[in-house]
Amino acid sequence: MILSYEVICPIEGIIEHIHAMEGDFVQQGDLLFSIQSDETVQIVRSATSGYITHIEVQPGDEVIPGMILIILREQV
């Protein structure tokens, strides 16, 4: 069985850095994004382990809460 997970943006801001690439395997808790919000940087980590199948944003993109940032695939 293959399960897909969406990593959702928690805040409004600008993508500062993407710490993974499509095809990478990430573990739960791995760093995925740095998002610049006002004068702070918010870190987004993976809530599950899996392969990154698609990255929906690029550095410099403006994001809002609820936007899909990454899609992960997990084989069970």
Side-chain angles (χ1 to χ4, degrees):
M1 176 190 295
I2 297 176
L3 300 174
S4 289
Y5 297 95
E6 297 170 341
V7 177
I8 305 297
C9 184
I11 61 167
E12 183 175 341
I14 296 175
I15 299 293
E16 183 177 82
H17 190 73
I18 301 172
H19 300 275
M21 296 175 30
E22 286 184 16
D24 285 357
F25 181 81
V26 295
Q27 298 282 350
Q28 182 178 0
D30 282 356
L31 180 61
L32 297 177
F33 291 98
S34 301
I35 301 174
Q36 180 70 41
S37 175
D38 297 323
E39 294 185 18
T40 64
V41 175
Q42 174 80 30
I43 300 300
V44 177
R45 296 185 180 275
S46 180
T48 189
S49 298
Y51 289 94
I52 297 173
T53 59
H54 193 70
I55 299 176
E56 298 284 334
V57 294
Q58 300 296 320
D61 285 355
E62 292 184 31
V63 292
I64 59 172
M67 280 183 72
I68 298 171
L69 301 176
I70 279 182
I71 298 173
L72 293 173
R73 182 193 74 217
E74 177 186 76
Q75 287 188 315
V76 183

